[in-house]
């Protein structure tokens, strides 16, 4: 197997894992269930859901994951 395919697979794996991690952290920030990352793999719906998740404001004050870092 060419080295470029292996390197590409590793890069894609790292990007997918980081996307899931950021989405779970954002879901925690707005008190949404963490299983929402499963929807990100659905075509079109996942991209729309990710956009909505990233532009929603976080909880005001603290939530069960800690204090609001902005306030």
């Amino acid at each position: 197997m060419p080295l470029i395919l292996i390197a590409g697979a590793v890069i894609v794996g790292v990007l997918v894992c980081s996307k899931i991690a950021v989405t779970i952290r954002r879901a925690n920030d707005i008190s949404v269930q963490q299983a929402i990352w499963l929807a990100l793999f659905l075509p079109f719906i996942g991209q729309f859901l990710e956009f909505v998740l990233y532009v929603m404001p976080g909880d005001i004050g603290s939530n069960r994951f800690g204090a609001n870092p902005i306030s």
Side-chain angles (χ1 to χ4, degrees), residues 8-46:
V10 169
I11 290 171
V12 168
V14 168
L15 291 175
V16 167
C17 288
S18 64
K19 179 178 179 176
I20 291 171
V22 167
T23 303
I24 290 175
R25 287 186 63 137
R26 184 64 186 140
N28 289 341
D29 187 38
I30 59 175
S31 296
V32 175
Q33 292 181 352
Q34 295 177 1
I36 203 162
W37 68 270
L38 293 171
L40 296 178
F41 294 105
L42 297 173
F44 303 111
I45 296 171

Side-chain angles (χ1 to χ4, degrees), residues 35-64:
I36 203 162
W37 68 270
L38 293 171
L40 296 178
F41 294 105
L42 297 173
F44 303 111
I45 296 171
Q47 285 76 23
F48 177 73
L49 183 63
E50 185 177 13
F51 174 75
V52 169
L53 206 79
Y54 290 161
V55 298
M56 285 179 64
D59 288 341
I60 296 173
S62 61
N63 59 17
R64 64 186 179 139

